């Protein structure tokens, strides 16, 4: 990979720039050891995939709420309205990973253009990035909402080159999510898998151009 | 629902006509209490959804094999080649639910036309139905392979009315899988959810026209 050709770095958001630790704590405080957050996240992704296949778009905030309800039904949990609200609100108040701000600063200093490209709705992304004080680093906050379907649909990835006016092969796309690595590779980006846990990558048989354990590691390499 | 308008009953296969009990035993004999089959089935569905979104078709037999490998990697299991083969082969040797044959016979006696519509490949479906002695009941064995994408894509459901030359509202589609109920409802079939376990239905907020606990119950109602 010739690094000199990379002009922009585009980040996935949930699980890549922001972790779920704080949301997991909220869930634990309400339901104890029941694996609600795991089921919720799984349902959220499943619903976004299924709605994309069905051609039946719903806002990601609605999908997130419906996925919580579906997860609770399956786990036979009944939340109070204020507990449900508190959990949902958690998506707007996630913590960035400890190294996120410093890594973004370093990449910006190198003259790289930075953007995010996420399944999150514009409202969710803007609130989250502002709350965390990270909004200023990104020249674009791109949401799947603009094309009314979800990653890994090629139409979502196409937002980045169109908006930045940079060809896909000069964009490094960073994600911690296997399905996102698969979609970004297929679309034609350079792809970096952020593997914080040493887990197995499931990117439908494809291999990313690089793998890092943290955004710090990425920022030191570019 | 006016039952007199139903001319054909179309069945999903995996989980609806056939159960996973025998495959679960095979998995247990090899890996013990590790939840391999659950993870495998989850990965199989996820891969079929993702490949449909990516527009990157793979035969369902290949998807099933790749899903097994991905599940093993995540669970840090290493199978011997013959164990892997034995598990894969299990998809061709599933047991029908105990009531399946009798229910099909009863429905056929009522003059209803019967078909299956599945994500399984033609090879997988033909072998499974023949092995179980059920092939004769179906005038059509329809596979998603014909349109190179997977349920719940509307293009897959469209195979049934096209092949049977019966409008969707005169077809009763039966499935035990929530995403399949969602897709079939959206497509315009009459839909029966087969709920053997009393679990919560996740059909993206939609409700089936009827719910039965077994195929016997269905065959008594039509």
């Amino acid at each position: 990979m010739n690094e000199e050709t990379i002009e922009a770095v585009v980040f996935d958001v949930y699980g890549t720039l922001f972790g779920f630790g704080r949301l997991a704590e909220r869930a634990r405080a309400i339901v104890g050891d029941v694996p609600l957050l795991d089921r919720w996240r799984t349902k959220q992704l499943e619903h976004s995939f299924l709605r994309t296949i069905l051609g039946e778009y719903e806002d990601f905030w609605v999908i997130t709420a419906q996925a919580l309800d579906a997860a609770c039904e399956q786990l036979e949990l009944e939340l109070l309205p204020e507990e449900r609200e508190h959990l949902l609100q958690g998506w707007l108040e996630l913590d960035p990973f400890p190294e996120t701000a410093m890594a973004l600063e370093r990449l910006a200093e190198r003259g790289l253009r930075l953007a995010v490209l996420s399944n999150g709705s514009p409202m969710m992304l803007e609130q989250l990035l502002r709350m965390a004080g990270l909004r200023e680093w990104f020249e674009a906050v791109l949401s799947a909402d603009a094309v009314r379907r979800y990653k890994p649909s090629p139409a979502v990835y196409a937002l980045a080159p169109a908006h930045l006016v940079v060809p896909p092969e000069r964009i490094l796309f960073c994600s911690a999510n296997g399905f996102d690595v698969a979609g970004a590779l297929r679309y034609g980006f350079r792809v970096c898998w952020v593997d914080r846990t040493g887990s197995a990558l499931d990117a439908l048989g494809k291999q990313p151009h690089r793998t890092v354990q943290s955004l710090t590691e990425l920022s030191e390499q570019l």
Side-chain angles (χ1 to χ4, degrees), chain A:
Chain A
M1 177 173 173
N2 181 354
E3 300 302 353
E4 290 171 58
T5 65
I6 298 297
E7 293 180 26
V9 185
V10 175
F11 294 91
D12 171 54
V13 171
Y14 304 119
T16 302
L17 297 178
F18 290 80
F20 296 111
R22 204 164 152 192
L23 191 53
E25 278 167 35
R26 283 191 192 197
R28 229 179 346 258
I30 295 173
V31 302
D33 284 340
V34 182
L36 174 60
L37 180 58
D38 273 6
R39 190 66 66 97
W40 185 8
R41 173 68 169 157
T42 300
K43 280 284 169 198
Q44 183 196 46
L45 291 174
E46 185 190 314
H47 283 201
S48 67
F49 297 156
L50 291 173
R51 287 195 181 276
T52 297
I53 295 171
L54 291 166
E56 191 176 80
Y57 184 74
E58 274 283 5
D59 185 282
F60 203 65
W61 184 245
V62 175
I63 283 194
T64 302
Q66 290 177 344
L68 175 57
D69 296 340
C72 285
E73 271 200 56
Q74 284 199 345
L75 296 168
E76 298 183 2
L77 296 170
E78 286 205 38
L79 300 179
L80 299 171
E82 59 268 28
E83 291 171 337
R84 181 176 181 275
E85 192 51 43
H86 184 60
L87 288 174
L88 273 176
Q89 199 67 22
W91 284 87
L92 311 179
E93 296 163 12
L94 300 169
D95 281 326
F97 287 103
E99 85 278 16
T100 297
M102 182 67 84
L104 294 173
E105 184 176 352
R106 203 177 293 193
L107 292 168
E109 280 171 6
R110 306 252 157 101
L112 289 157
R113 299 169 63 190
L114 306 178
V116 303
L117 175 63
S118 166
N119 277 345
S121 71
M123 174 285 280
M124 292 171 77
L125 296 174
E126 289 289 345
Q127 284 209 32
L128 181 64
L129 293 171
R130 281 181 203 287
M131 178 84 67
L134 297 176
R135 177 63 185 85
E136 61 181 323
W137 296 112
F138 301 107
E139 71 172 83
V141 174
L142 304 171
S143 165
D145 185 72
V147 291
R148 296 178 66 81
R149 68 202 77 179
Y150 290 107
K151 295 195 268 186
S153 172
V156 180
Y157 298 106
L159 289 168
H163 191 94
L164 299 171
V165 198
V166 172
E169 66 272 16
R170 296 199 180 177
I171 292 175
L172 183 68
F173 185 83
C174 302
S175 181
N177 296 297
F179 73 89
D180 203 12
V181 168
L185 282 167
R186 185 176 193 283
Y187 180 72
F189 290 131
R190 296 287 174 160
V191 177
C192 173
W193 178 38
V194 184
D195 176 25
R196 288 196 173 79
T197 59
S199 58
L201 176 67
D202 180 9
L204 300 174
K206 296 213 188 300
Q207 291 304 318
H209 298 92
R210 60 169 64 212
T211 299
V212 297
Q213 291 189 301
S214 70
L215 299 175
T216 304
E217 192 182 335
L218 174 70
S219 73
E220 285 165 354
Q221 291 179 359
L222 287 189

